[in-house]
Amino acid sequence: MAQVQQDNIVSLWTQGFQAVKDKSSCAAVLTAKELSIVWGSDCRYWKWVSKTSPINCEPLDVAELIKVCCLQIDGKYNASNLTKGVKYGVYFVMELSDNLCMNGPVTLKLTSPNGSTVEHKEDLQTKPRNTWVGLKVGEFDIPACGCSDNTVKFSMNGCDETTWKTGLTVIGAAIVPVNIC
């Protein structure tokens, strides 16, 4: 799966941010605080800092990785808050620093509201540095009629447990339409 460059991911984040602000069901954003980051509350492994958002120049709390052996970030969102009949893409939004250290790829996994799962691997070492990057987790459809579970779940896993991982800042996640609302 392709990564989204900074200009596009800022645009996608803006679209999600604006949808939340307008109380629209067209898109959504989850901040780093709304994601589940393993060891995220332990200051030996992660530090929470404020960065200026390129969207509205307001402060945004982000999670800066100090070091972990097992990188695990999970997110979920109630898809009933999104527009029915629309296909959505889910992106982790992050910034990779010059000191990025990952031994091997991370696994990105998406479980759609209908229960189907897709996963693929991404090598973060090949991604741009010091700029926002969107890692596409996958796509899912919101059916026109209801389904049994309305939750979309997504994750990033880099748990080789043999190397310390560093150099990653988690901004959040964006859930945006693949086709226009």
Side-chain angles (χ1 to χ4, degrees), residues 152-163:
V152 60
K153 299 174 186 170
F154 49 97
S155 65
M156 178 187 305
N157 180 305
C159 290
D160 63 19
E161 297 183 13
T162 59
T163 20

Side-chain angles (χ1 to χ4, degrees), residues 6 24-25 55-56 76 80 102 112 141 146 148 161 169:
Q6 186 213 11
S24 161
S25 60
I55 298 160
N56 54 13
K76 63 182 177 178
S80 64
M102 297 277 164
S112 66
D141 291 304
S148 60
E161 297 183 13
T169 300

